[in-house]
Each structure stands twice: as C-alpha cells, then as structure tokens.
C-alpha cells in the first residue's frame, strides 16, 4: 500500500507519528512471512486477519482460544535494551494454555502499546512473536501497534496476544477419566518464564542494582538479568506428538500461582496430585531468588514454576512411552508424582 500521502503534522505534534507505524509494518513483514501456514488467506495490513479452518477428518471441530501478556518481565527487556525474545514469551503464554485442552494452535494476533513508535524496536518485538509462532506452528495473521503519548513514557511499551486453536470435540482432554495410580510427569521449564516478575524485581531491586548485569557462576556464567530474560518454553509440538500415542488425562501449564494454583486445574474432584518435592529439579535461578529474598519454600512453589513449565498426567503403564516421546522431542521430562484419592487436589510432600 502506498502511504506517501498519509501524514499529519498536527497528529505528530500531539505525539503520534503515523508514518512510523507504516515503517514498522514494512520492517515486520519479513518476520510474519516465516509464520505462514496452510490456513493463511491474505497478507498483513487489512482490517482483519483471514484464516481457513483445517477441519478435514474432524467430526465436531471446536475452537479453543487463549489470551495473555508478558507482565512485568517487559521491564527486564527494557533494562537490557533487548527486545527480540520477549515476543516468544507472549506467544508461549497463550499457546501453552491452548494446548492444555489438546488443541493445535492455528493463528496468533499481537497488540503492542508504546509511548513512542520506534519502527526498528517494534520490528524486533514482532520478530520474537514470529519466532514463537514458528515454534508453535501458528500463523501470525495480524496485530496492532498503538502510540500512547502522555500515558506511557516514550521508551515504554506493553505487549499482549491472542491465540486460536482447534481440536475435535472427542479429543478434548477429559480429566474425568483420571484415576488413582495415574502418574504425573514434569516438563522442564527454561527459567522463570513470564510469571512472578513483580516479586523478582522487588527481590533483586532491578531498577538500582547494577551488579545484575555481571556474570554469576551459579547461573552458568550468565548475569541475573540475562537469565531472567530467557524466553518461555513452548511445549506445543511435543505435546501434540504425545497426544498421538498416549492417553493423556490432564495437562497443567505452570504459570502465576505456581504448583498450588495450576496443578489443581487439571485434577477432578476427589483426586489429588501428590508431588514429591525432592523429585522437582529446581533451577538455580529459583534458589537464588529464594536466598536473596528470604522467601519461604511454600511461597516459592505458590508463585513460580520452580523448573517445571508443564505437567501431564498419564496412565502408569504408559509412563515410559510418554517419557520417550517427550524427551525425543527435545523436552526434559521426568516423573514427579502420582494421582491419589484425596480432596486436597495437590499435595507437595
């Protein structure tokens, strides 16, 4: 589209440069092109993103949607002036929820609000979104960038997204089939992912502590800020592979609220996930957070993923098959507990 006649000196004087928006779209198109899949029907730039639903072979197609943002992890990206991975987090927070129902993510839309539209930075952010879409098999079919002068500092921005997936109704994850004796498998996280950052920022005093950019031996030589910015792992493709061969009875995405809030969401009444804390492979960053902030263990497990980004419940006789599939698809998967009869929903012992 030719935008040479679209400019407003009055709007620019109020703090909004619409030509910067056009420039940002041009810069991000190469990233968006990487995400195209069989459902894409048009190019970015129209008023709506069109997508053809792949329903062949499905008896009752069901759409599953998820929306989320990145939260205050954005502040870490801004402190490091590194904006090319935060979009992965945005996609992950949505598609990792959608896959918990057994749905394959189809497409994604993002929304960026900023104090000032710097096209190169917006393109960096969208580049990360595109990478998250590639990792999850989603098409990035649209989005929106809005300048908010006077409401946000010029270098500030917020990022949110929206995912839609599809699943045949008969294949939606049904936890009513869960039984005592089923086994809980952990899929390792890559770090803090995108939750608990208000506490993280308080513990490390990120606005004033320059030491956070220095290498830390316990973190593998990375700095605290680098470690915190590690993108959220996307589990979509490995879970889809698992669903093809294993009778998965429940999936939990471990986000804000940690184990105590998220594991129970996939457990039916009358049953409980009994987790062996000694089996959880706690990542070094969580140990550092707990020590630095003097945070009780229960609060840690009730705020962070502690090294477990997702948990799945499978029949005992299919545990080895599940582990082989997940580890074969690049996950670090291992047993952390079992399902027992109890009204507590989750017990960490």
């Amino acid at each position: 589209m030719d935008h040479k006649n679209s400019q407003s000196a009055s709007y620019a004087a109020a703090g909004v440069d619409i030509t910067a928006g056009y420039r940002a779209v041009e810069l991000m198109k190469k990233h968006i092109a990487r995400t195209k899949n069989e459902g894409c029907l048009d190019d970015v730039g129209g008023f709506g993103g069109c997508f053809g639903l792949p329903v062949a072979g499905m008896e009752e197609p069901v759409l599953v949607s998820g929306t989320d943002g990145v939260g205050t992890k954005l502040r870490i990206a801004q402190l490091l002036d590194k904006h090319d991975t935060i979009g992965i987090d945005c996609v992950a927070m949505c598609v990792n929820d959608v896959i918990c129902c057994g749905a394959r993510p189809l497409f994604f839309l993002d929304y960026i609000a900023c104090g000032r539209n710097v096209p190169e930075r917006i393109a960096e952010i969208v580049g990360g979104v595109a990478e998250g879409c590639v990792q999850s098999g989603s098409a990035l079919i649209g989005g929106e960038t809005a300048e908010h002068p006077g409401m946000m500092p010029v270098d500030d921005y917020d990022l949110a997204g929206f995912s839609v997936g599809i699943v045949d109704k008969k294949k939606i994850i049904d936890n009513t089939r869960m039984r005592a004796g089923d086994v809980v498998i952990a899929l390792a996280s890559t770090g803090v992912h995108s939750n608990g950052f208000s506490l993280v920022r308080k513990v490390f005093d990120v606005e004033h502590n320059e030491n956070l950019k220095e290498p830390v031996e316990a973190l593998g030589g990375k700095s605290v800020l680098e470690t915190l910015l590690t993108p959220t792992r996307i589990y979509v493709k490995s879970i889809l592979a698992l669903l093809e061969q294993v009778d998965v009875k429940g999936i939990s995405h471990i986000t804000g609220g940690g184990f105590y809030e998220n594991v129970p969401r996939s457990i039916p009444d009358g049953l409980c996930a009994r987790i062996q804390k000694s089996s959880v492979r706690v990542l070094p960053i969580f140990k550092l957070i707990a020590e630095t902030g003097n945070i009780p263990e229960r609060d840690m497990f009730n705020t962070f993923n502690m090294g477990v980004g997702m948990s799945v419940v499978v029949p005992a006789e299919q545990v080895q098959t599940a582990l082989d599939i997940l580890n074969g698809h690049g996950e670090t998967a291992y047993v952390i507990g079992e399902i027992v009869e109890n009204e507590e929903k989750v017990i960490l012992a």
Side-chain angles (χ1 to χ4, degrees):
M1 184 181 295
D2 185 0
H3 299 293
K4 64 182 181 181
N5 292 322
S6 180
Q7 51 186 303
S8 170
S10 298
Y11 208 4
V16 177
D17 182 358
I18 56 176
T19 60
Y22 305 143
R23 170 67 175 156
V25 170
E26 291 302 316
L27 290 174
M28 67 178 71
K29 281 185 176 180
K30 65 180 181 181
H31 301 298
I32 297 168
R34 298 176 55 215
T35 75
K36 287 194 172 184
N37 61 28
E38 73 280 7
C40 295
L41 299 181
D42 61 5
D43 292 326
V44 172
F47 287 99
C50 297
F51 193 90
L53 289 178
V55 298
M58 291 190 180
E59 295 177 9
E60 293 184 81
V62 175
L63 295 179
V64 179
S65 60
T67 185
D68 210 338
V70 183
T72 60
K73 183 175 184 175
L74 287 168
R75 188 60 187 143
I76 309 301
Q78 291 163 2
L79 287 169
L80 287 174
D81 193 23
K82 181 173 171 33
H83 312 283
D84 59 345
T85 64
I86 202 71
I88 300 174
D89 294 285
C90 187
V91 175
M93 295 306 294
C94 298
V95 298
N96 283 345
D97 280 353
V98 167
I99 195 63
C100 286
C101 298
R104 176 171 71 93
L106 296 175
F107 59 84
F108 191 85
L109 291 90
D110 61 10
Y111 173 76
I112 305 170
C114 56
R116 178 182 59 192
N117 188 333
V118 179
E120 292 75 17
R121 184 170 62 199
I122 297 299
E124 275 191 82
I125 297 168
V126 174
V129 173
E131 175 58 29
C133 287
V134 170
Q135 290 182 23
S136 63
S138 305
L140 180 56
I141 64 170
E144 179 71 17
T145 302
E147 280 188 282
H148 291 170
M151 290 189 65
M152 302 175 72
V154 292
D155 290 327
D156 197 8
Y157 64 87
D158 196 9
L159 173 64
F162 177 83
S163 174
V164 172
I166 193 167
V167 62
D168 203 341
K169 186 176 181 179
K170 65 183 179 182
K171 294 185 178 181
I172 294 174
I173 304 298
D174 179 12
N175 69 3
T176 63
R177 299 180 300 102
M178 199 176 293
R179 299 290 182 266
D182 289 338
V183 175
V184 184
I185 293 176
L187 280 69
S189 70
T190 50
V192 183
H193 282 185
S194 301
N195 300 101
F197 273 85
S198 292
L199 178 56
V200 167
R201 291 183 301 111
K202 179 177 183 293
V203 165
F204 290 123
D205 189 19
V206 299
E207 300 295 337
H208 309 100
N209 190 349
E210 287 296 323
N211 293 329
L212 298 180
K213 295 182 179 180
E214 299 299 321
V216 177
E217 184 177 351
L219 299 178
K222 292 185 176 181
S223 71
V224 170
L225 290 183
E226 285 179 300
T227 302
L228 292 174
L229 194 57
T230 303
T232 304
R233 185 162 183 81
I234 292 175
Y235 301 97
V236 169
K237 293 181 179 179
S238 55
I239 292 294
L240 287 174
L242 182 70
L243 292 172
E244 290 181 0
Q245 299 185 52
V246 173
D247 181 19
V248 178
K249 298 183 179 182
I251 307 177
S252 289
H253 182 199
I254 313 301
T255 56
F259 281 69
Y260 286 102
E261 180 178 323
N262 292 288
V263 173
R265 295 170 67 178
S266 65
I267 309 297
D269 292 342
L271 294 180
C272 168
R274 185 167 64 195
I275 307 296
Q276 296 295 326
K277 282 190 293 186
S278 60
S279 297
V280 177
R281 301 175 188 177
V282 179
L283 296 175
I285 185 62
F286 296 111
K287 297 176 182 178
L288 186 60
I289 292 170
E291 293 169 2
T292 305
N294 192 28
I295 300 173
E297 183 182 64
R298 193 188 190 286
D299 286 359
M300 290 294 296
F301 275 92
N302 204 171
T303 306
F304 302 107
N305 68 62
M306 299 301 285
V308 178
M310 187 165 280
S311 66
V312 298
V313 177
V314 303
E317 64 272 16
Q318 290 189 293
V319 168
Q320 191 56 55
T321 300
L323 292 174
D324 289 345
I325 292 169
L326 292 169
N327 289 318
H329 280 78
E331 305 298 344
T332 299
Y334 57 97
V335 174
I336 57 170
E338 64 176 337
I339 301 300
V340 298
E341 293 183 358
N342 196 297
E343 296 296 333
E344 289 286 330
K345 288 291 187 80
V346 62
I347 296 174
L348 275 69

